[in-house]
RNA sequence: GGAACUAUAGCUCAGAUGGUUAGAGUACCACGUUGACAUCGUGGGGGUCACUGGUUCGAGUCCAGUUAGUUCCACCA
C-alpha cells in the first residue's frame, strides 16, 4: 500500500463544520451591503422566541431558507437574510414568573412592574440568544450584523408609529366586549390564541318555573350550570309552536329567585336540546349577541380570577368548577334537575398554559379588521403574494373573509406598553408617538399611561419592514422590501402571515413578500407530533453532533414535498450520512489521482465517457435550477443525489480509472483529471445550498478559483455540451454491461473473476462498442470481448440477453442449466410479448393515430421495432437451446 | 357543520403542464475485500398506484362519488 494520502476514509463532520462556519463569519460572506445595481433577494427569519430551544421545526424552516438564500447568493443577487428574535410577551413572562416562583418564591406582583421587567431583561440577556447560537450550528447563513429584536428601540418605535397611526384613523379602539380571558394567565387573549378541543362534558336539563302558571316549567339544557346566576333571559325560537304562547312571559330563575323574560330569537335551534336556551350575556359569546339584540342586562358572575363574584349570591368566592357541582346539587335538591346527559363539548383552552378560557365582558383594545383586510385579500387573490403550495391561499382567504376584530391588549407587563395616556383631570385619552408628561389638552401633569401591553403578534406583524428601519425611509427598506419569500409552517398562517400582509399593505402600501413558502411539521417515526409531554422530540443538536449538520439538512429537505408533514427517521439519517461519506470518498479518489495536474497542460480530446458525463452534468444543472425556481427543493436534491451517486460514482469514475492510473499518457490523464474536477466542482456547487460544509471542504481541496464555494457563481447549463447521441451510445453500452452482470449473477458464474463475452451490435452501435471495448471489459468483468454484427449467427452454448441495439452472449459452456436458461428467456420473452401487444394495440387504433401528437406516435413506432428485435433475438436463442 | 390534505413496493416517501416497461431509500435474498468508499459494490425478488364510475385515442396523474386516516376552521346551549 503506497497510500500516502492522509485524507481519512470516513468523513468526520464535527471539525470541518466548525472550521468553515468560523471562516465564513470571519470573511463576512453573510453580510452584503445594499447594492441598488443588483437584483435584491431578501428574507426575514421567522423570529424565534427568546424562550425557545431549537427543535426540528426550526431546523427544517431555517434549512429551507438557507438553501434559497445560499442559492441566490451564488446567483449573484444582492442577498440579505435578516435574523432576529421575538420577545414573545406572554410566553416569556410565564417562563420568568415560573423561575421567580421556583427560585425566590415570589410573584411578579411582589416585585412590581419595574423590578419585574428588569428581571425579564436580565433573563433575556442571559438566555435570549441561546437559540441563535443553536441556529448557527445548522450552518445557516444569516446576516448576523443585521440581527433585530422586537423590543429594540427601532422596532419599538415602529410599534408606536403603527399603533398611533391606526388609532388616529379610528382603526384601533377601546371597547367593552365579550373577550377570551385566561384566568390562569390573567389576561385577555385574541381568538387565535384560544385552542378548541372536545372535552367530555354533560348537558344538564333544568326546569325553570313559569311565573304565574302553577306547575308549569320551561326546561332548558345547559353545559355550564355555574352560569345560571348570570342568566338574564330564556330564549326560544320565534317559530317554535311549543313555546309560542310563552314569549313575553317570565320564568323564575332557580336558586337566584329572580324573574327573567322569555324572549324569541332566531339563534335558537328548535331541534337541539329542549328548544329553550338560557341566556347569559356575560359569559357566552352567543348569548352576548342575543343580549345585544334583545337589550338584555348582563350580569358578571365569574370574575377575572375564575371565582364566583358577589353577583352569584351564596356562591361568591367559590371556584367556577366547585360552584358548578354545588349548583347542580342544589338544583337536584330543589327537584328542578330533570336529567343529565353526556355530551362532548368544544372548550377553549389557553394556547400558552392550556387552562380553560373563560368568555368574559371586559374593556380592551381592538383593531378594526374589516377595513384593513380588503387590500390584504386582494393582493393574494391577484397573485402578487403567492402561497406555495397554492392550496394555502384558500385557507388564508376564507379566514380573512370571516375575520373578527383583533383584541390586542394583554394584561401583562413584558411587551410594548400601549402608548395611550389618560388625563386624571380632564379625562382625555390620547395615543402618542412619544411619552407624555402632561395632558396636551388641559396641561395637567396628572396623567397616567395605560397599564396593558400589546399582543406579541402586533410587533411581529410589522417584522418585514420594521426590521429594515421603518418608519424611516432607509436604503435597506427601498432595496429589500418587499422581501422575496417568507418561509414558515402552516400552523402560523393566521397568527403571523395574515397580520404581516395586512399591516404591510396598510403601512407600506405594498406586499411584504412575493412568496409564502409553507412547510409542514416534522413528526416522529410513528407520525406523532413531537411534543414535550410525549417526550418524543428529537433534538436537532443531537443529530448534528452525531451525524453533522449537512446530513440533518439534506435529510429534512429530501423525501418530502412542500406543505406536507414529514417523519423523522433515524434510518433516513443514516442513509444520508452514507451519501455524505460517498461524496467524501469520491472526492478523496479525485484528490489521490490529481498529482501532477495542471489545468493549463495539453489535453487529449474528450472520450465518450467524458462527453457523456459532461452532457449529464448540463442536464442536471438545468433541471436542478428549474426545480429550485419552483421551490421543489426535495426534487432538486434528489437529482443532485442521483447524479453524483448514480452517474459520477457508479459509472464515470469507474470508466476513467485506467486513464488516471496510466501516467504514461499525460494528455489523456490530464483530460480525465480536468473533466473529473469540472464535474465534481459543479456538483459541489449544486449541492452546496443543501450541504454547505462538506461541499466547502471538498471544493477547497479541489482546484478552484475564489475564496469560498459559497460565493462561487452558480453553474449555468451549457447547451453545447448536451449531446443526445453520446447519451444514446452510453446507454447502449451501459445496458450491455448490466446485461452481462445480470446473466453472470443468475448462474453465479465465475464470481469475482473475468470471463469472455460476445456482443453483436447493429450498425449504429457497433463502432461505439469497437471504440470502447474496454468499457465493457472493465465494468462487465470481461476478459475477451468478441464483437460482431447483429446479423451474425448467434454463438452456441451461450446465455443471451437482447438490449436495444445489441445482443449480448456469455459463452458459459457447462455452467448453463438448459432448462433454467430456457425458463429465464421465456420469462423475458413473455414480458416483451405483452409489451408488444400493447404497443401494437395502440398503433392499430385509428383514434390514436389521428389524435395523438405525431411525436408520441413516432415514439410508439420505434418502441415497436425495438421490442420486435428483442423478441426475435430471444426466440432465436430459445430455439437454439432446445436443439441441445 | 364547513374546508383542506393523505391513500403508490414490508416500511418511509418521490412521481410539474395526462403518453416511462411506475421510481428511490430502507428492509429482505444471493454473490463480491478488482488500487475512493463494507457508511461499499453487483445482481435479484417485491406494486390490479384505496374503491366505484366518468372525461380522453390514452389516467397513478383530470372530474364526480365512496371508504379510511390526518389536520384546520366553526357560537349549536
Amino acid at each position: 500500500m503506497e497510500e500516502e494520502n492522509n485524507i481519512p476514509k470516513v468523513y468526520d463532520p464535527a471539525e470541518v463544520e466548525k472550521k468553515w462556519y468560523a471562516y465564513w463569519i470571519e470573511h463576512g460572506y453573510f453580510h452584503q451591503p445594499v447594492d441598488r445595481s443588483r437584483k435584491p433577494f431578501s428574507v426575514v427569519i421567522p423570529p424565534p422566541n427568546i424562550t425557545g430551544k431549537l427543535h426540528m421545526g426550526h431546523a427544517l424552516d431555517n434549512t429551507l431558507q438557507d438553501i434559497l438564500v445560499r442559492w441566490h447568493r451564488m446567483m449573484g443577487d444582492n442577498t440579505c437574510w435578516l435574523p432576529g428574535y421575538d420577545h414573545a410577551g406572554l410566553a416569556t413572562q410565564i417562563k420568568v414568573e415560573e423561575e421567580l416562583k421556583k427560585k425566590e418564591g415570589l410573584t411578579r406582583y411582589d416585585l412590581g412592574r419595574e423590578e419585574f421587567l428588569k428581571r425579564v431583561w436580565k433573563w433575556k440577556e442571559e438566555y435570549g440568544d441561546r437559540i441563535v447560537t443553536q441556529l448557527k450550528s445548522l450552518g445557516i447563513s444569516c446576516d448576523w450584523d443585521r440581527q433585530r429584536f422586537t423590543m429594540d428601540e427601532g422596532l419599538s418605535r415602529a410599534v408606536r408609529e403603527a399603533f398611533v397611526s391606526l388609532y388616529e384613523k379610528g382603526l384601533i379602539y377601546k371597547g367593552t366586549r365579550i373577550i377570551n380571558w385566561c384566568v390562569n394567565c390573567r389576561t385577555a387573549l385574541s381568538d387565535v390564541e384560544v385552542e378548541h378541543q372536545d372535552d367530555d362534558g354533560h348537558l344538564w336539563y333544568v326546569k325553570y318555573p313559569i311565573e304565574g302558571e302553577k306547575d308549569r316549567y320551561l326546561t332548558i339544557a345547559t353545559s355550564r350550570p355555574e352560569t345560571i346566576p348570570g342568566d338574564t333571559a330564556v330564549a326560544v325560537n320565534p317559530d317554535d309552536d311549543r313555546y309560542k304562547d310563552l314569549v313575553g312571559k317570565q320564568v323564575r330563575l332557580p336558586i337566584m329567585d329572580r324573574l327573567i323574560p322569555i324572549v324569541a330569537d332566531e339563534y335558537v335551534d328548535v331541534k337541539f336540546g329542549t328548544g329553550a336556551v338560557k341566556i347569559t350575556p356575560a359569559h357566552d359569546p352567543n348569548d352576548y349577541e342575543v343580549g345585544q339584540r334583545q337589550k338584555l342586562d348582563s350580569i358578571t358572575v365569574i370574575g377575572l380570577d375564575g371565582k364566583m363574584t358577589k353577583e352569584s349570591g351564596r356562591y361568591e368566592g367559590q371556584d367556577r368548577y366547585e360552584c358548578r357541582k354545588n349548583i347542580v346539587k342544589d338544583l337536584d335538591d330543589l327537584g328542578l334537575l330533570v336529567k343529565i346527559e353526556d355530551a362532548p363539548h368544544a372548550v377553549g383552552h389557553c394556547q400558552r398554559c392550556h387552562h380553560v378560557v373563560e368568555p368574559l365582558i371586559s374593556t380592551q383594545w381592538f383593531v378594526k379588521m374589516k377595513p384593513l383586510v380588503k387590500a390584504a385579500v386582494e393582493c393574494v387573490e391577484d397573485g402578487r403574494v403567492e402561497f406555495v403550495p397554492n392550496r394555502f391561499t384558500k385557507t388564508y382567504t376564507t379566514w380573512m373573509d370571516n375575520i373578527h376584530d383583533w383584541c390586542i391588549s394583554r394584561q401583562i407587563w413584558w411587551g410594548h406598553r400601549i402608548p395611550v395616556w389618560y388625563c386624571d383631570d380632564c379625562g382625555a385619552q390620547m395615543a402618542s408617538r412619544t411619552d407624555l408628561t402632561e395632558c396636551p389638552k388641559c396641561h395637567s401633569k396628572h396623567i397616567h399611561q395605560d397599564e396593558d401591553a400589546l399582543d406579541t403578534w402586533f410587533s411581529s406583524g410589522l417584522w418585514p419592514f420594521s426590521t429594515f428601519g421603518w418608519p424611516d425611509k432607509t436604503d435597506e427598506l427601498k432595496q429589500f422590501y418587499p422581501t422575496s419569500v417568507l418561509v414558515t409552517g402552516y400552523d402560523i398562517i393566521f397568527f403571523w402571515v395574515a397580520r404581516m400582509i395586512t399591516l404591510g399593505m396598510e403601512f407600506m402600501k405594498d406586499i411584504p413578500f412575493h412568496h409564502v413558502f409553507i412547510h409542514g411539521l416534522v413528526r416522529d417515526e410513528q407520525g406523532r407530533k413531537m411534543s414535550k409531554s410525549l417526550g418524543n422530540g428529537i433534538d436537532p443538536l443531537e443529530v448534528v453532533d452525531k451525524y453533522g449538520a449537512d446530513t440533518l439538512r439534506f435529510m429534512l429537505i429530501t423525501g418530502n414535498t412542500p406543505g406536507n408533514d414529514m417523519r423523522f427517521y433515524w434510518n433516513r439519517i443514516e442513509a444520508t450520512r452514507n451519501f455524505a461519506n460517498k461524496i467524501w470518498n469520491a472526492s478523496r479518489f479525485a484528490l489521490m489521482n490529481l498529482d501532477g495536474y495542471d489545468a493549463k497542460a495539453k489535453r487529449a480530446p474528450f472520450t465518450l465517457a467524458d462527453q457523456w458525463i459532461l452532457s449529464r452534468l448540463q442536464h442536471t444543472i438545468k433541471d436542478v435550477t428549474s426545480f429550485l425556481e419552483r421551490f421543489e427543493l426535495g426534487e432538486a436534491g434528489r437529482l443532485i443525489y442521483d447524479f453524483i451517486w448514480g452517474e459520477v460514482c457508479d459509472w464515470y469514475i469507474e470508466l476513467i480509472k485506467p486513464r488516471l492510473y496510466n501516467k504514461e499518457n499525460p494528455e489523456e490523464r490530464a483530460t480525465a483529471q480536468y473533466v473529473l474536477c469540472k464535474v465534481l466542482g459543479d456538483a459541489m456547487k449544486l449541492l452546496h445550498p443543501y450541504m454547505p460544509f462538506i461541499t466547502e471542504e471538498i471544493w477547497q481541496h479541489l482546484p478552484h478559483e475564489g475564496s469560498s464555494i459559497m460565493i462561487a457563481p452558480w453553474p449555468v447549463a451549457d447547451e453545447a455540451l448536451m449531446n443526445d447521441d453520446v447519451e444514446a451510445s452510453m446507454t447502449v453500452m451501459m445496458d450491455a454491461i448490466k446485461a452481462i452482470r445480470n446473466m453472470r449473477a443468475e448462474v453465479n458464474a465465475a464470481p469475482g473473476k473475468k470471463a469472455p463475452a460476445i456482443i453483436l451490435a447493429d450498425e449504429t452501435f457497433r463502432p461505439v462498442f469497437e471504440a470502447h471495448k474496454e468499457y465493457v471489459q472493465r465494468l462487465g468483468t470481461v476478459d475477451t470481448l468478441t464483437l460482431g454484427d447483429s446479423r451474425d449467427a448467434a454463438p452456441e452454448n451461450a446465455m443471451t440477453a437482447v438490449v436495444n441495439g445489441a445482443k449480448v452472449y456469455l459463452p458459459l459452456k457447462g455452467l448453463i442449466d438448459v432448462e433454467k436458461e430456457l425458463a429465464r428467456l421465456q420469462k423475458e420473452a413473455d414480458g416483451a410479448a405483452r409489451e408488444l401487444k400493447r404497443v401494437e394495440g395502440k398503433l392499430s387504433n385509428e383514434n390514436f393515430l389521428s389524435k395523438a401528437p405525431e411525436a408520441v406516435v413516432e415514439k410508439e413506432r420505434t418502441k415497436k421495432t425495438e421490442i420486435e428485435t428483442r423478441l426475435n433475438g430471444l426466440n432465436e436463442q430459445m430455439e437454439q437451446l432446445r436443439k441441445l
Side-chain angles (χ1 to χ4, degrees), chain A residues 60 64 376-377 379-381 383 385-401 486-495 497-498 501 513 515-521 523 560-566 631:
Chain A
L60 171 61
L64 289 166
V377 169
C379 71
V380 169
E381 278 176 347
V385 174
E386 201 181 321
F387 280 84
V388 180
N390 196 257
R391 64 186 137 93
F392 290 103
T393 307
K394 203 175 167 188
T395 313
Y396 170 84
T397 47
T398 44
W399 189 73
M400 287 295 244
D401 288 344
L486 182 94
V487 181
T488 194
Y490 56 69
D491 47 336
I492 59 170
I493 291 177
F494 304 139
F495 283 100
V497 178
I501 299 177
F513 24 71
H515 294 276
V516 183
F517 185 26
I518 300 286
H519 62 254
L521 263 42
R523 298 172 174 277
N560 90 320
T561 202
N564 287 358
D565 290 353
M566 66 172 308
F631 295 96

Side-chain angles (χ1 to χ4, degrees), chain A residues 40 393 589 641 671 747 792:
Chain A
T393 307
F589 167 80
Y641 178 101
T671 306
V747 294
D792 294 348

Side-chain angles (χ1 to χ4, degrees), chain A residues 196-468:
Chain A
H196 291 274
Q197 40 177 274
D198 271 345
D199 288 2
D200 292 333
H202 305 281
L203 270 185
W204 286 271
Y205 287 75
V206 183
K207 292 194 290 190
Y208 284 21
I210 293 163
E211 185 66 5
E213 304 208 18
K214 248 200 173 133
D215 296 330
R216 206 173 156 199
Y217 301 92
L218 190 52
T219 304
I220 58 95
T222 179
S223 59
R224 305 198 55 199
E226 70 275 19
T227 62
I228 287 177
D231 287 2
T232 54
V234 171
V236 298
N237 190 289
D239 298 327
D240 194 335
D241 291 336
R242 291 173 294 178
Y243 304 124
K244 260 191 173 144
D245 65 313
L246 293 177
V247 175
K249 293 191 170 161
Q250 291 180 309
V251 290
R252 185 158 293 275
L253 185 60
I255 293 168
M256 302 308 287
D257 203 27
R258 203 173 68 221
L259 285 177
I260 55 173
I262 298 168
V263 299
D265 197 285
E266 295 286 351
Y267 155 71
V268 182
D269 182 348
V270 179
K271 291 189 216 77
F272 190 89
T274 60
V277 188
K278 68 191 233 16
I279 302 295
T280 322
H283 297 289
D284 183 282
N286 297 308
D287 293 8
Y288 181 78
E289 301 274 318
V290 176
Q292 297 285 80
R293 274 198 295 277
Q294 306 286 344
K295 309 222 175 345
L296 302 172
D297 291 339
S298 73
I299 303 170
T300 297
V301 291
I302 302 172
L304 299 180
D305 52 1
K307 294 196 169 118
M308 304 308 290
T309 66
K310 68 170 187 284
E311 300 289 349
S312 68
R314 69 181 118 124
Y315 303 103
E316 181 182 358
Q318 293 180 10
D319 174 83
R320 52 189 162 153
Y321 294 113
E322 186 192 341
C323 170
R324 175 181 294 181
K325 270 188 223 149
N326 292 331
I327 285 190
V328 170
K329 185 174 175 296
D330 293 346
L331 287 169
D332 200 18
D333 291 347
L334 290 167
L336 294 173
L337 188 62
V338 181
K339 61 172 174 174
I340 306 172
E341 272 178 9
D342 288 339
H345 189 50
V347 180
H349 295 256
C350 172
Q351 187 201 19
R352 289 286 155 216
C353 72
H354 308 293
H355 282 73
V356 173
V357 163
E358 200 61 46
L360 284 179
I361 291 176
S362 168
T363 304
Q364 303 287 344
W365 288 93
F366 298 88
V367 178
K368 205 179 275 179
M369 294 303 284
K370 286 267 191 244
L372 284 170
V373 295
K374 198 170 165 283
V377 169
E378 272 171 17
C379 71
V380 169
E381 278 176 347
D382 66 20
R384 273 178 291 162
V385 174
E386 201 181 321
F387 280 84
V388 180
N390 196 257
R391 64 186 137 93
F392 290 103
T393 307
K394 203 175 167 188
T395 313
Y396 170 84
T397 47
T398 44
W399 189 73
M400 287 295 244
D401 288 344
N402 299 309
I403 196 121
H404 298 310
D405 284 358
W406 175 15
C407 175
I408 51 169
S409 45
R410 298 288 177 278
Q411 286 61 54
I412 59 174
W413 292 344
W414 175 242
H416 301 98
R417 195 163 170 179
I418 291 181
V420 170
W421 281 261
Y422 306 94
C423 178
D424 302 330
D425 290 330
C426 74
Q429 167 185 303
M430 45 254 139
S432 172
R433 289 174 175 82
T434 52
D435 286 359
L436 295 182
T437 50
E438 65 165 48
C439 175
K441 297 221 171 96
C442 72
H443 301 291
S444 160
K445 301 273 186 201
H446 299 124
I447 61 167
H448 67 274
Q449 189 176 356
D450 198 293
E451 293 294 320
D452 292 348
L454 284 165
D455 182 0
T456 290
W457 297 101
F458 189 86
S459 54
S460 347
L462 312 172
W463 187 250
F465 46 99
S466 63
T467 48
F468 289 121

Side-chain angles (χ1 to χ4, degrees), chain A residues 762 801-807 825 827-843 857-876 878:
Chain A
D762 66 24
V802 184
V803 300
N804 290 330
K807 289 183 257 186
L825 292 172
K827 200 180 155 196
E828 281 263 321
D830 289 348
R834 263 198 309 275
E835 221 182 308
L836 184 62
K837 209 173 149 194
R838 239 200 30 227
V839 174
E840 279 173 342
K842 268 192 183 179
L843 285 171
V857 177
E858 193 46 45
K859 210 167 148 192
E860 291 299 318
R861 288 207 178 98
T862 5
K863 203 190 277 176
K864 184 175 171 232
T865 335
E866 283 171 4
I867 301 169
E868 279 169 348
T869 319
R870 206 164 79 223
L871 198 53
N872 286 340
L874 290 166
N875 284 334
E876 264 171 40
M878 283 193 285

